[in-house]
Amino acid sequence: MKNLKYSLICCSLALLVFYSCVPLDNYDMPEETLKGTVYVAGTNKTESIQTEVSDQGVRIRMLEYSWSDNPQPFDFYAMQDGKYNNTKIFKGNYNICVAGPFVPLQQYDPSGNLTVDGSITRDIKGTVEIDWEVEPFLKIEWVGEPVVNAAKTKITASFRITRGTNNPNFQQNVTDIYLFVNSSSYHVGQHNHDNRYSGRLQGNAAQAAFATGDVITLTTQGEFSPERDYYVRVGARINYQTEGQQRYNYNEPKKANVLSN
Amino acid sequence: MKTVKYLFISFVLICSAPGCMDLNVPPVNVVTDDVIFGSEDGIRSFLARVYGAMPIEDFRFNHTNGINHFYAINPFSCLTGEAISRDVGGANTETHTYWSEAYSIFRDLNYFMETAPSYKDKGGFSDAQMNQWLGECYFIRAMTYFAMVKRYGGVPIVTQVLAYNSDRLEELDIPRASEEEVYNQIASDFDEAYKLLPEQTSVSRANKYTAMGFKSRAMLYAGSIARYNVTELFDPNTQKRLCGIPSDKAQNYFKQSYDAAKLLEGHYELYTKAWSATDKDAQYKNFADMFFDASSPENIFVREYGYPYSVHGYDCYNVCLQYMTSTYAAETNPTLSFVEMFDGLPRKSNGQIQVYDEDGYYVLYEKPMDLFANAEPRLRATVIFPGDLFKGEALEVYRGIYKVPVGEGITRLLPEGSTELYNSVPDIASRILMSTNSQTQETITDNAGNSYNAAGASGVFNNQGVACLGGFGLRKYMNPDMPADLVVENRSDQNWIELRYGEILLNRAEAAFELFLMAQGEQYRTDAYNCIRQIQERAGADIVPAATDITLDIVRKERRKELAFENKTWWDLKRWRILELEQNNTLFRSLMPFFILNENKWFFDDRLDETNKRYTFDTRWYYKSIPSDRINESPSLLQNLGY
């Protein structure tokens, strides 16, 4: 019995002693800040790029090379209006680049060599602000206000789409033009819309409408409930994949007063 | 104290005793090469293990848990629109990582191929034996590379045993090969297997034609990638294209697929044991039985199960609620969107099912099965219709009971495109009695005094996970003879048919038709037509009238119908690069039966999935992300785009 007691004590002691061998995580919390805005080039930083809040919008990628030649990227995503702000970043030296529905800042030749490199390498300490100027694939402007029909079941909107870049490598056909509709959120886009109602032109029809250069008018499809207000926004994309996805360019969202009209 | 001293001395003596022995003896707890490679039994045990580890997407696979997992809820078929499940919230890609498992298999196989031949004399093996085993190694290696390339694109190719040397770890850091090189490696491994393997084997081991059958599948994938993929990723260090294949290679791959498929002609045939050209019931029975007949001439490669050593839970997870024994049921709920692909249903001009008469009222039926009176027999063998018999009991699926007089007729319950819950529309709730779950079934009595439950024994309930969601039960591969008390986890043991001749005909038809589209000759279209025709006749579907009527859509649709719920469709939609078009904020459709009180009649409402599962496919998923811990170990692995 006594033996049992001793061995129990020994075991508990050993447990306690070895437990202290586990290293305590006493690193500081990440508290540096990286923020900025992705602007449309040529607007003298007056116009930021319109995007969507998701990993299909504008991605900010940070790479810390001090540990590995092929580090695990740290990604975060810009807000709907092209601004970004991350207040939880570890101190360090990072290579930073943005990717989205615009002419890529990093371009590769057909064998994978980096030919254009617009990335920035910077020490992140305290608050660092980096703005970017990019050439969007497409520019979309509202023409007038979206109009609700008399029965309050459809919205019609007019807009104009033009190329945002003269770069000959990014003049692919327009494959989709959408009038995205959302019944509850200002954050509307292809990640967050009601597929039943969103008006659309796809494939050849989209390119044909774009190619005329005229004002395009789209109406929502089906008939939605008049019992609420809707948020609408136009998105269009060309047949080019940025990081594995065809990404939409947008104009700024508008509220269509259906209920509160 | 004396005892302690003696004890100590004996302890020292015992410890030093082994010093007197010869230490140069083989360790008994390590299996050495000559045990494995020196006898037929050893080799058989080796092969059994690699066959078992070979990536087969069967009853024990799904997109979240991966390969050979003991349970498989979250059915893979719920990523394709074939079905919806309470456990699958919408579009997704595979979330399991399949990487190191594959490289363990490669190492085992390469080791076998390098070592086993030197034991040929010692074991007294014949040439034929040794060739078969080596052929099987090539076969399994090709299968495993195929499992990798269809997920990641180009991966490192390892065809010899790598030596571990801690001083030269960088030698093990092998960059990714191009996607094209991996497919070529697969083709050459299958060709090598074809040369070495015997003509005939048991159906769970590879023979010549198994290798060619799978080659036709792999080359079809390669051809589709070359033709339809738009993603490009190059490795600047090796100048190789990791994602995508140049489009001028498509024709060669389709030709290889076609030739391989054609080699199987005469060695296998479609299962028609219970089939009759004139009898739809026989056609239905034939298609349903095919998956349970071990002697089916259609089976090319089968993963065998047998209770109690090797089991799965397919019946338990997918059985409808009324047949439930455990706490699982109805994981896979076929959708109306899927059912509408089949022939023999009343249709609107847009191809959707017609449940209304000319005046816009619901058509009333005496029995629920009347709507499906002319349905394609293959459909009946794939899903269970409301009211159809399974295990000798009619499947009871209905959403509610229409309790007020019908009058001139019933107009549509919800506006077109509505996703509203029936219960939350006051006008519907006042006319129709519904139940939220089976424990609180409400009942109603008709004028004659008969009492009815508000919803069927299998549902549909709006607040019970295990209820039927889409309006149909799952029939394919479901064991109709399993006693109710055995419908529990890890009790099912029907075999998984990974490759059957039906798929070979479809591979051949698709490859041929692609070749025809590439202006390789009219004979390819004729051949595609003949293959499709055989499939359609056996299925009891409408037959395409002539070769000139064949389109790519018909070929693909036939494939989706024939191979539904066999875990192939997601890969097909992926290689055709149409998943992002099919799943773009998409809701799938379901069919809800209703019973009309006092009339004893039924009507059906076609609607968007009431559980509101929206599907949007992300084009990045065409290439899966490489596990980050593998990149940390092997820094020359370039990550796929968008991750």
Side-chain angles (χ1 to χ4, degrees):
Chain A
M1 205 54 223
K2 214 171 192 180
N3 280 344
L4 185 67
K5 205 180 268 173
Y6 282 130
S7 48
L8 267 178
I9 290 171
C10 285
C11 286
S12 337
L13 264 178
L15 262 178
L16 281 173
V17 169
F18 287 113
Y19 191 72
S20 63
C21 299
V22 179
L24 185 68
D25 183 357
N26 57 357
Y27 289 102
D28 291 334
M29 265 181 32
E31 52 190 6
E32 317 310 318
T33 296
L34 174 65
K35 63 178 189 178
T37 309
V38 185
Y39 289 107
V40 177
T43 61
N44 206 10
K45 294 200 176 183
T46 54
E47 201 181 306
S48 63
I49 190 151
Q50 289 291 326
T51 178
E52 63 179 60
V53 188
S54 78
D55 58 359
Q56 310 212 30
V58 170
R59 180 190 79 186
I60 298 99
R61 167 160 286 188
M62 305 179 69
L63 297 164
E64 231 270 70
Y65 282 105
S66 58
W67 305 98
S68 159
D69 291 339
N70 192 4
Q72 202 175 329
F74 176 72
D75 293 343
F76 63 100
Y77 301 90
M79 292 178 268
Q80 178 159 293
D81 57 0
K83 289 188 168 61
Y84 65 94
N85 184 11
N86 187 333
T87 59
K88 294 277 179 290
I89 293 178
F90 282 110
K91 246 179 230 152
N93 184 267
Y94 293 90
N95 176 265
I96 305 157
C97 199
V98 291
F102 44 79
V103 175
L105 297 180
Q106 289 176 310
Q107 294 173 25
Y108 300 87
D109 69 7
S111 25
N113 300 310
L114 193 61
T115 51
V116 175
D117 189 1
S119 69
I120 291 176
T121 302
R122 185 75 58 87
D123 280 325
I124 303 292
K125 199 181 164 194
T127 299
V128 175
E129 194 163 345
I130 301 178
D131 290 337
W132 309 80
E133 292 191 63
V134 299
E135 295 179 5
F137 296 136
L138 299 170
K139 283 185 184 170
I140 305 165
E141 299 156 87
W142 289 113
V143 176
E145 291 294 311
V147 180
V148 180
N149 70 344
K152 297 188 172 185
T153 54
K154 287 170 186 291
I155 299 169
T156 301
S158 295
F159 49 90
R160 182 179 281 118
I161 304 179
T162 49
R163 296 272 183 200
T165 172
N166 296 322
N167 190 325
N169 296 330
F170 303 97
Q171 306 293 324
Q172 286 84 354
N173 281 358
V174 174
T175 59
D176 305 80
I177 301 174
Y178 260 86
L179 175 63
F180 290 112
V181 185
N182 188 311
S183 58
S184 60
S185 171
Y186 183 73
H187 292 104
V188 50
Q190 77 123 17
H191 65 303
N192 194 19
H193 73 115
D194 199 325
N195 197 36
R196 294 171 294 167
Y197 308 130
S198 292
R200 68 203 67 176
L201 289 167
Q202 288 179 298
N204 295 336
Q207 173 61 19
F210 166 74
T212 61
D214 297 339
V215 171
I216 301 171
T217 301
L218 266 182
T219 302
T220 53
Q221 39 177 48
E223 294 189 343
F224 52 66
S225 157
E227 298 299 315
R228 49 181 70 190
D229 291 333
Y230 290 84
Y231 296 90
V232 292
R233 193 182 196 193
V234 179
R237 61 182 179 182
I238 61 170
N239 192 9
Y240 177 83
Q241 288 194 349
T242 305
E243 293 289 331
Q245 293 161 319
Q246 266 181 275
R247 294 175 196 237
Y248 279 94
N249 288 110
Y250 293 96
N251 56 5
E252 66 279 15
K254 280 184 189 288
K255 184 175 178 184
N257 294 323
V258 175
L259 179 65
S260 50
N261 191 354
Chain B
M1 211 52 225
K2 222 173 196 175
T3 337
V4 173
K5 201 185 277 172
Y6 285 131
L7 264 178
F8 181 73
I9 292 170
S10 10
F11 179 72
V12 170
L13 282 176
I14 287 170
C15 287
S16 50
C20 309
M21 285 191 267
D22 179 9
L23 280 175
N24 193 16
V25 290
V28 289
N29 59 342
V30 176
V31 181
T32 51
D33 276 2
D34 58 334
V35 175
I36 293 296
F37 300 116
S39 73
E40 211 180 318
D41 286 345
I43 286 180
R44 193 192 294 272
S45 74
F46 172 89
L47 287 172
R49 188 172 58 79
V50 262
Y51 265 115
M54 185 168 83
I56 296 283
E57 288 151 19
D58 62 357
F59 301 115
R60 305 203 304 162
F61 164 80
N62 69 20
H63 56 284
T64 51
N65 301 112
I67 287 153
N68 281 339
H69 196 260
F70 90 92
Y71 64 82
I73 55 174
N74 316 18
F76 193 42
S77 52
C78 297
L79 294 187
T80 58
E82 290 164 280
I84 50 175
S85 168
R86 64 177 183 275
D87 286 325
V88 179
N92 206 346
T93 182
E94 289 182 296
T95 51
H96 73 99
T97 53
Y98 185 74
W99 188 279
S100 27
E101 298 91 329
Y103 284 93
S104 306
I105 296 176
F106 297 143
R107 186 179 174 84
D108 286 344
L109 296 171
N110 294 337
Y111 193 80
F112 186 95
M113 291 193 265
E114 287 174 19
T115 317
S118 64
Y119 284 87
K120 184 161 171 277
D121 293 333
K122 189 177 175 222
F125 306 132
S126 67
D127 282 342
Q129 280 178 311
M130 192 48 83
N131 283 346
Q132 176 178 3
W133 298 329
L134 291 174
E136 286 178 302
C137 286
Y138 281 109
F139 168 75
I140 297 170
R141 194 166 78 181
M143 293 290 282
T144 311
Y145 272 115
F146 181 48
M148 293 294 277
V149 75
K150 71 181 182 182
R151 296 186 160 87
Y152 298 104
V155 293
I157 296 180
V158 180
T159 52
Q160 53 188 350
V161 179
L162 301 174
Y164 175 79
N165 181 337
S166 55
D167 296 334
R168 296 205 304 271
L169 277 181
E170 64 281 359
E171 284 176 9
L172 302 179
D173 179 15
I174 301 166
R176 297 171 64 183
S178 69
E179 185 165 10
E180 188 185 345
E181 284 174 319
V182 180
Y183 273 113
N184 291 344
Q185 177 69 37
I186 292 165
S188 89
D189 276 356
F190 277 134
D191 288 341
E192 200 62 35
Y194 177 72
K195 272 186 230 153
L196 295 168
L197 285 169
E199 286 270 330
Q200 279 189 329
T201 50
S202 84
V203 79
S204 59
R205 288 179 73 166
N207 63 31
K208 273 187 188 314
Y209 303 105
T210 323
M212 283 302 106
F214 281 110
K215 187 188 175 192
S216 83
R217 184 195 286 176
M219 294 299 103
L220 189 62
Y221 279 43
S224 313
I225 299 295
R227 194 156 158 79
Y228 302 108
N229 168 64
V230 293
T231 307
E232 283 189 12
L233 176 67
F234 288 89
D235 186 337
N237 298 318
T238 58
Q239 318 267 305
K240 285 178 179 169
R241 184 169 176 188
L242 308 181
C243 295
I245 298 173
S247 54
D248 58 347
K249 302 287 167 59
Q251 189 187 319
N252 176 273
Y253 284 126
F254 285 130
K255 184 76 171 57
Q256 287 195 58
S257 170
Y258 178 81
D259 291 344
K262 206 156 189 259
L263 273 176
L264 274 75
E265 202 169 46
H267 298 280
Y268 297 92
E269 59 188 58
L270 292 182
Y271 181 83
T272 50
K273 283 190 188 174
W275 190 82
S276 150
T278 49
D279 184 352
K280 284 199 158 200
D281 275 351
Q283 293 172 354
Y284 149 69
K285 191 172 170 342
N286 181 68
F287 199 87
D289 288 353
M290 170 167 76
F291 298 94
F292 291 90
D293 187 342
S295 66
S296 160
E298 182 163 347
N299 291 356
I300 300 174
F301 189 74
V302 168
R303 175 160 278 180
E304 289 177 317
Y305 281 92
Y307 180 81
Y309 302 109
S310 177
V311 289
H312 56 85
Y314 188 73
D315 293 282
C316 164
Y317 301 132
N318 294 313
V319 80
C320 289
L321 179 59
Q322 73 194 86
Y323 313 98
M324 177 174 86
T325 306
S326 68
T327 53
Y328 293 98
E331 279 292 347
T332 310
N333 299 276
T335 62
L336 178 60
S337 313
F338 168 71
V339 168
E340 279 170 336
M341 285 199 291
F342 289 80
D343 300 326
L345 302 170
R347 260 172 226 288
K348 291 191 280 199
S349 57
N350 64 3
Q352 293 182 340
I353 197 166
Q354 177 61 280
V355 293
Y356 305 100
D357 61 19
E358 307 88 64
D359 302 322
Y361 298 125
Y362 286 109
V363 180
L364 306 187
Y365 294 94
E366 298 292 327
K367 304 190 300 288
M369 275 296 277
D370 291 352
L371 173 61
F372 308 101
N374 296 314
E376 184 180 325
R378 175 173 50 183
L379 172 61
R380 193 176 165 203
T382 306
V383 307
I384 311 177
F385 300 133
D388 204 358
L389 291 180
F390 182 67
K391 297 191 173 187
E393 188 182 324
L395 174 68
E396 199 184 273
V397 169
Y398 57 90
R399 182 70 180 87
I401 293 188
Y402 196 81
K403 57 189 179 185
V404 296
V406 170
E408 291 199 352
I410 308 167
T411 51
R412 67 177 306 149
L413 297 175
L414 293 167
E416 179 118 41
S418 173
T419 56
E420 206 102 47
L421 198 64
Y422 291 120
N423 313 45
S424 63
V425 181
D427 171 48
I428 298 175
S430 68
R431 286 185 290 157
I432 298 180
L433 184 71
M434 289 169 279
S435 281
T436 52
N437 60 55
S438 59
Q439 288 88 31
T440 59
Q441 273 274 25
E442 302 197 34
T443 53
I444 191 166
T445 310
D446 68 4
N447 295 340
N450 302 315
S451 174
Y452 298 93
N453 284 332
S458 287
V460 180
F461 307 107
N462 62 300
N463 193 16
Q464 185 171 21
V466 289
C468 179
L469 298 179
F472 301 95
L474 179 65
R475 178 69 179 85
K476 192 183 261 193
Y477 266 126
M478 295 296 290
N479 184 351
D481 304 320
M482 197 175 202
D485 57 337
L486 299 187
V487 184
V488 293
E489 281 191 284
N490 290 328
R491 196 62 177 75
S492 298
D493 63 355
Q494 59 266 49
N495 293 338
W496 175 262
I497 305 165
E498 175 57 24
L499 185 65
R500 56 188 178 93
Y501 193 59
E503 183 190 331
I504 298 298
L505 286 176
L506 290 162
N507 291 351
R508 181 170 150 185
E510 191 184 330
F513 198 74
E514 292 277 7
L515 288 167
F516 165 75
L517 292 177
M518 292 174 177
Q520 295 304 295
E522 182 62 37
Q523 78 276 12
Y524 283 113
R525 178 159 71 172
T526 314
D527 197 60
Y529 172 68
N530 289 334
C531 295
I532 293 291
R533 195 186 163 91
Q534 285 181 57
I535 296 282
Q536 287 179 332
E537 273 173 3
R538 196 264 302 264
D542 296 349
I543 313 286
V544 178
T548 45
D549 298 318
I550 290 265
T551 63
L552 195 57
D553 275 349
I554 291 178
V555 174
R556 288 179 173 180
K557 190 169 147 193
E558 204 53 43
R559 188 179 179 91
R560 294 178 72 165
K561 287 159 68 172
E562 176 76 18
L563 301 179
F565 302 107
E566 297 182 36
N567 291 348
K568 310 286 188 292
T569 305
W570 193 71
W571 300 108
D572 288 333
L573 300 178
K574 209 155 98 91
R575 70 186 164 87
W576 296 328
R577 296 292 193 255
I578 59 171
L579 254 176
E580 87 268 25
L581 304 175
E582 282 209 0
Q583 299 183 2
N584 175 13
N585 234 311
T586 305
L587 285 159
F588 294 109
R589 287 156 50 75
S590 53
L591 187 69
M592 293 292 130
F594 289 88
F595 179 67
I596 307 171
L597 197 69
N598 294 324
E599 302 259 343
N600 248 326
K601 286 192 174 150
W602 298 80
F603 72 92
F604 294 87
D605 187 34
D606 62 327
R607 60 162 298 155
L608 292 177
D609 161 30
E610 206 174 350
T611 59
N612 262 292
K613 293 180 189 300
R614 280 183 190 275
Y615 283 70
T616 300
F617 185 83
D618 184 333
T619 50
R620 288 179 304 173
W621 296 340
Y622 284 133
Y623 290 98
K624 188 168 153 55
S625 80
I626 293 178
S628 54
D629 47 345
R630 298 301 135 215
I631 297 180
N632 291 342
E633 282 172 7
S634 194
S636 60
L637 292 179
L638 204 66
Q639 181 59 283
N640 280 329
L641 286 173
Y643 299 107

